[in-house]
Amino acid sequence: MRVDFYLLDADPVEVVAPLLARKTLEAGKRLSIAAQDADLRAKLDRALWEREGDAFLAHGGASDSNAARQPILLGETTTSANEATFAMLADGIWREEARGFERVMLLFGEDRRQAARELWKAFSGEEGLEKNFLKQEGGRWQRLG
């Protein structure tokens, strides 16, 4: 499993999530996006439709009847109802069910920085787990660790 820690100190989650979602789809993968807060899920829903101009990102809710057909699912928790192998934790909150995914993107802001730091330490030395820390510098994501 690979966990990428994305520090959101330049752009908000509703800007970053669609960019990472597009990259996921371009890699031929399906994605599960988790956010506990309904308002955040609504922002992400709008962003996935609007952020990338004319090329919207097809998606649906994890509890929708057609969830299995959607390349991207939004829900309170991560789900593989669409056979997703990538998960995005858009609210910066770790969920143990994320361990079932090939790659997990943990997006967090300053308010969740300490929790992310503690998770990073908890993952240290864990066999079979690759972790990366990414931060925006000059508009591009740079891997720092």
Side-chain angles (χ1 to χ4, degrees), residues 30-35 38 41-42 44-46 48-49 57-84:
R30 288 180 168 236
L31 178 65
S32 173
I33 301 176
R41 286 194 310 277
L44 292 170
D45 180 45
R46 282 190 304 279
L48 290 168
W49 282 109
L57 296 166
H59 64 283
S63 60
D64 293 352
S65 61
N66 64 350
R69 294 192 318 231
Q70 298 295 337
I72 301 170
L73 288 180
L74 280 167
E76 285 185 56
T77 62
T78 55
T79 178
S80 57
N82 64 344
E83 298 182 9

Side-chain angles (χ1 to χ4, degrees), residues 2-79:
R2 173 177 156 185
V3 180
D4 293 329
F5 290 71
Y6 286 87
L7 174 59
L8 306 180
D9 61 352
D11 291 323
V13 68
E14 63 268 18
V15 170
V16 174
L19 299 173
L20 294 174
R22 176 160 311 286
K23 294 284 187 192
T24 299
L25 296 181
E26 287 172 356
K29 303 292 184 175
R30 288 180 168 236
L31 178 65
S32 173
I33 301 176
Q36 282 183 343
D37 183 69
D39 290 337
L40 177 55
R41 286 194 310 277
K43 278 185 187 179
L44 292 170
D45 180 45
R46 282 190 304 279
L48 290 168
W49 282 109
E50 301 168 354
R51 272 294 159 208
E52 295 293 309
D54 294 337
F56 73 92
L57 296 166
H59 64 283
S63 60
D64 293 352
S65 61
N66 64 350
R69 294 192 318 231
Q70 298 295 337
I72 301 170
L73 288 180
L74 280 167
E76 285 185 56
T77 62
T78 55
T79 178

Side-chain angles (χ1 to χ4, degrees), residues 126-145:
E126 191 170 315
E127 195 168 318
L129 189 142
E130 174 189 345
K131 59 185 181 166
N132 299 293
F133 178 81
L134 299 107
K135 182 178 179 180
Q136 275 185 307
E137 291 182 1
R140 300 181 59 94
W141 288 99
Q142 301 295 322
R143 187 176 303 176
L144 303 176

